Amino acid sequence: AQKVTQAQTEISVVEKEDVTLDCVYETRDTTYYLFWYKQPPSGELVFLIRRNSFDEQNEISGRYSWNFQKSTSSFNFTITASQVVDSAVYFCALSEGLYAGGTSYGKLTFGQGTILTVHP
Amino acid sequence: DSGVTQTPKHLITATGQRVTLRCSPRSGDLSVYWYQQSLDQGLQFLIQYYNGEERAKGNILERFSAQQFPDLHSELNLSSLELGDSALYFCASSTRQNRGYTFGSGTRLTVV
């Protein structure tokens, strides 16, 4: 069975601080996908990144960066110079590999989420 | 607009009642997923359909059922509602070509 653990329930920082959100996953699949989603107070789920199990390159997108380490089954997310608008719940999620000739993903398993509050 | 349409956005109903939540996936997406988000359970996978067939089942109660129609839209039926069924219900669709899953804006169900 797949499992995603986000050990940090809540994090509170002051604006401009860097913050890292931890994510550890468990799966027996050799091919899988990892995701991060943001859920602002308005409630929608906003896609941030997708990473497949064969790509361990770190990725940077503006103030966001992701560190994928297969050896420790971790996919951590760092926000540099945090801003008040970053306040949200952040979810890490794990998907089974593609099926149906590569046209669809299996189910997505979410972690419990980390509530990030950035104070001015 | 994500391309996944969920209706209604809000629903208030009484215990014991039955409701139907509707989801239209992104054009061309064959898979539809349903998730329940409650304060104590987080985001829980309920069920997945692929091209009209049930593909995977999660923690879906027997009082809940779903189906995907030939036009690929999906409906989640919740019956004998209890206070604990109050939650945000998300639908998502997927295709390999995009970033994986596209979520609708959710239906907030309040059972009173």
Side-chain angles (χ1 to χ4, degrees), chain B residues 6-54:
Chain B
Q6 287 189 250
T7 57
K9 291 193 182 309
H10 302 276
L11 199 48
I12 301 175
T13 190
T15 54
Q17 294 298 305
R18 172 190 168 94
V19 297
T20 298
L21 311 184
R22 181 188 169 100
C23 170
S24 293
R26 273 170 37 112
S27 177
D29 287 356
L30 300 178
S31 273
V32 169
Y33 314 76
W34 285 98
Y35 286 84
Q36 179 194 56
Q37 185 178 25
S38 57
L39 282 175
D40 55 344
Q41 294 291 325
L43 270 159
Q44 296 285 313
F45 169 71
L46 296 178
I47 198 164
Q48 177 194 357
Y49 281 84
Y50 177 78
N51 203 19
E53 300 286 328
E54 180 184 305

Side-chain angles (χ1 to χ4, degrees), chain B residues 13-20 36 46 57 59-66 75-86 89 109 111:
Chain B
T13 190
T15 54
Q17 294 298 305
R18 172 190 168 94
V19 297
T20 298
Q36 179 194 56
L46 296 178
K57 215 166 187 175
N59 300 322
I60 187 166
L61 300 171
E62 284 192 13
R63 300 183 285 109
F64 296 1
S65 65
E75 292 181 357
L76 179 66
N77 300 297
L78 316 176
S79 62
S80 303
L81 285 167
E82 302 174 359
L83 296 178
D85 298 326
S86 296
Y89 291 84
L109 173 67
V111 182

Side-chain angles (χ1 to χ4, degrees), chain A residues 33 35 37 39 42-45 47 49-50 89 91 94-112, chain B residues 30-31 33 35 37 40-45 48-50 55-58 88 90 94-105:
Chain A
Y33 293 83
F35 297 79
Y37 286 89
Q39 188 175 40
S42 51
E44 74 272 23
L45 285 166
F47 167 86
I49 190 171
R50 177 191 66 178
V89 183
F91 291 96
L94 169 67
S95 169
E96 303 167 345
L98 293 164
Y99 69 99
T103 61
S104 187
Y105 290 84
K107 70 175 186 180
L108 190 62
T109 300
F110 285 88
Q112 285 297 98
Chain B
L30 300 178
S31 273
Y33 314 76
Y35 286 84
Q37 185 178 25
D40 55 344
Q41 294 291 325
L43 270 159
Q44 296 285 313
F45 169 71
Q48 177 194 357
Y49 281 84
Y50 177 78
R55 202 227 165 220
K57 215 166 187 175
L88 188 52
F90 284 105
S94 85
T95 177
R96 183 185 184 181
Q97 282 69 35
N98 73 350
R99 47 211 181 177
Y101 304 81
T102 303
F103 283 85
S105 56

Side-chain angles (χ1 to χ4, degrees), chain A residues 14-78:
Chain A
V14 177
E15 213 170 15
K16 296 184 184 172
E17 279 186 39
D18 298 348
V19 58
T20 294
L21 309 181
D22 297 332
C23 172
V24 174
Y25 63 92
E26 295 175 29
T27 181
R28 290 185 213 165
D29 295 334
T30 54
T31 302
Y32 52 89
Y33 293 83
L34 293 162
F35 297 79
W36 276 94
Y37 286 89
K38 173 182 179 180
Q39 188 175 40
S42 51
E44 74 272 23
L45 285 166
V46 179
F47 167 86
L48 295 177
I49 190 171
R50 177 191 66 178
R51 172 70 67 212
N52 75 51
S53 53
F54 297 107
D55 183 1
E56 287 193 71
Q57 280 191 340
N58 292 333
E59 181 154 338
I60 297 175
S61 175
R63 297 184 297 108
Y64 295 170
S65 62
W66 290 270
N67 180 262
F68 175 31
Q69 291 197 329
K70 224 169 166 177
S71 60
T72 56
S73 297
S74 65
F75 186 41
N76 296 336
F77 172 33
T78 297

